[in-house]
Amino acid sequence: MADVAEKAGVSRALVSIVFRNQPGASQETRERVLKVADEIGYRPDSAARLLARGRSRTLGVMFTVHQPFHADLVEGIYPEAERLGYDVLLSATAEGRGETKAVEALLSHRCEAAILLGPDAPPAELDALGQRTVTVSVGRRVPLARIDSVHTAEGKGIRQAMDHLVELGHRHIVHIDGGRGPGSAERRRAYRAAMRRHGLESELRVIPGDHTEASGIETGGLLLAERERGRPLPTAVLAGNDRCAMGLLMALTRAGVEVPRDISVVGYDDSHLSHLMPIGLTTVRQDAVLMAEYAVRFAVERLEDEQLDPREAVLEPKLVVRGTSGPPRGA
C-alpha cells in the first residue's frame, strides 16, 4: 500500500480507505488509486486482513482424490460457502497421505472448520478433532463423536434397490461389501435384512470388497472363475458404491457377459460418472448438493454458536433406474 500511495501521491491511510471502500476519499482519488494499484499489480490481501481480526473465514474440506462423489460434494460446497461469506480450502487424502496429514494441513492454514468427506478415522479420533475445531462428517454417521454429521438414510436406499431387483424377478442377489468405507456397515445390514424379508436368506452372499474400481474388477474375476468351475453367475449384484459397480461392469463386459441380460448391476451414490457410461448405471442417488449445503451450514452455525449440541441431517435417497438392471434371463 505504501508503493501505491507514493505513486498516486496520496497518504497510505487514504489508500487503505479506498481499498476498504470507506468514506473519506473523492471519486477522482479513488479512481487514481485503483488505476495505480492495477498498474503495479497490487491486490489487497483479504486473508491477512481477516487474520488480523482473528478470523480466516475459511472452511477446510478433506476429500479423496479418486472418489467421484466427493467431487460432486465439493462442487456443492463452494457456492454455499460463498453465499455465507466463507472461502474454501481443499486437502486430499491419497496413497501415502492419510486423513491425519490432510486434516492437519487444513488446520495449519488456519481453517476455522473441517468438513470431512467420508472419513475413515475411528470415532475417538473424530471426537478429539471435534474438541479442537468445528468438525462436520459427510457421508458417515458418527454417534460416539461430538461432531455434526450429514448422511443419507443408507438402509432406505438399499431397501429401494433390493425391492427393485426382487420385483424384476431376481432371487440370487449378491452384495459386494464396501469394507470400512462410509455407509458400508449400514448398507451391509440393510442388504441382509432385505434378503431375509423377501425369504431369500438361503441365497444371501456378501463378498468382501471396498469402494474402488479394483474391488469390482476383482469380484468380477471371482464370479467368472466360479462360473468356469460350474457355479452359475448370480442374476444380480448390488455393489457397495458406483466405483465398485463400474469396475464390475468392466470385468463382466470384457468377458462377454451381457448386462443386464445375463446379470443386473446396481450401484450407490449416483455420482456424475454413473450416467456417462455407454449403459447408464442403475444406482441409489445421494443428493450431493443438499448434503454439501447442510455441511456448510452446520459448520458456519457452530462457528457462531459453539454451545450447540451435535446435529445430524439424514437425507432421503432415491433409486435411479437406468440400463444395468432388468429381469433375469428366462423370467
Side-chain angles (χ1 to χ4, degrees):
M1 287 201 300
D3 293 340
V4 174
E6 181 179 357
K7 190 166 184 178
V10 298
S11 68
R12 188 179 184 282
L14 199 55
V15 172
S16 177
I17 286 173
V18 171
F19 280 113
R20 287 185 289 114
N21 200 26
Q22 297 293 314
S26 68
Q27 186 61 32
E28 180 185 355
T29 300
R30 288 181 186 278
E31 291 175 358
R32 186 166 75 253
V33 166
L34 294 174
K35 181 181 179 182
V36 168
D38 187 58
E39 288 173 354
I40 69 175
Y42 173 78
R43 296 291 181 275
D45 190 339
S46 58
R49 189 162 59 239
L50 287 166
L51 287 174
R53 300 175 190 169
R55 295 290 303 274
S56 71
R57 294 194 73 84
T58 301
L59 306 177
V61 178
M62 183 202 78
F63 71 107
T64 301
V65 170
H66 295 298
Q67 178 55 270
F69 188 64
H70 287 188
D72 297 342
L73 289 167
V74 169
E75 197 170 29
I77 285 172
Y78 271 108
E80 183 66 8
E82 184 176 346
R83 186 183 72 83
L84 296 174
Y86 283 77
D87 202 353
V88 175
L89 183 66
L90 303 179
S91 183
T93 63
E95 189 69 30
R97 191 174 197 263
E99 290 187 5
T100 299
K101 186 174 290 187
V103 170
E104 289 302 324
L106 295 174
L107 299 183
S108 70
H109 284 84
R110 304 201 184 195
C111 292
E112 294 190 40
I115 298 176
L116 313 180
L117 307 187
D120 284 335
E125 290 185 17
L126 294 175
D127 184 62
L129 179 61
Q131 303 296 327
R132 294 174 60 194
T133 189
V134 171
T135 305
V136 182
S137 168
V138 181
R140 176 186 171 193
R141 181 173 179 265
V142 195
L144 299 179
R146 287 188 58 80
I147 63 175
D148 296 324
S149 64
V150 182
H151 62 94
T152 300
E154 309 282 356
K156 185 176 290 188
I158 293 297
R159 285 195 297 274
Q160 291 177 14
M162 291 295 292
D163 289 349
H164 167 66
L165 291 172
V166 171
E167 287 168 6
L168 288 172
H170 293 279
R171 296 293 179 269
H172 188 188
I173 306 169
V174 166
H175 175 51
I176 307 176
D177 185 24
R180 294 180 56 233
S184 295
E186 292 86 349
R187 296 172 198 179
R188 182 170 56 248
R189 284 194 294 268
Y191 161 77
R192 292 180 182 277
M195 291 293 280
R196 288 191 293 268
R197 180 164 53 87
H198 287 292
L200 303 174
E201 191 165 9
S202 62
E203 300 288 348
L204 190 155
R205 184 184 183 189
V206 176
I207 298 176
D210 57 40
H211 286 172
T212 65
E213 293 85 356
S215 176
I217 293 171
E218 184 177 341
T219 299
L222 170 67
L223 296 176
L224 292 167
E226 291 178 347
R227 185 180 66 170
E228 291 296 317
R229 297 194 295 269
R231 182 174 185 172
L233 289 173
T235 62
V237 176
L238 175 63
N241 73 341
D242 288 353
R243 289 180 66 192
C244 180
M246 291 174 190
L248 176 64
L249 288 170
M250 289 171 57
L252 294 175
T253 53
R254 285 172 180 170
V257 177
E258 291 192 29
V259 177
R261 189 191 68 172
D262 299 325
I263 188 170
S264 288
V265 177
V266 178
Y268 201 107
D269 281 342
D270 194 32
S271 60
H272 64 276
L273 296 180
S274 63
H275 50 85
L276 299 179
M277 303 169 58
I279 305 176
L281 178 66
T282 295
T283 184
V284 177
R285 173 180 295 161
Q286 301 194 81
D287 191 331
V289 172
L290 190 56
M291 293 176 78
E293 290 175 352
Y294 266 105
V296 172
R297 288 202 297 269
F298 276 1
V300 171
E301 288 167 6
R302 187 168 294 281
L303 285 170
E304 295 172 354
D305 183 1
E306 294 184 3
Q307 302 306 312
L308 288 172
D309 290 330
R311 293 159 299 169
E312 179 181 9
V314 184
L315 308 185
E316 288 294 311
K318 181 182 179 182
L319 179 70
V320 181
V321 178
R322 296 194 181 99
T324 60
S325 61
R329 187 197 292 258

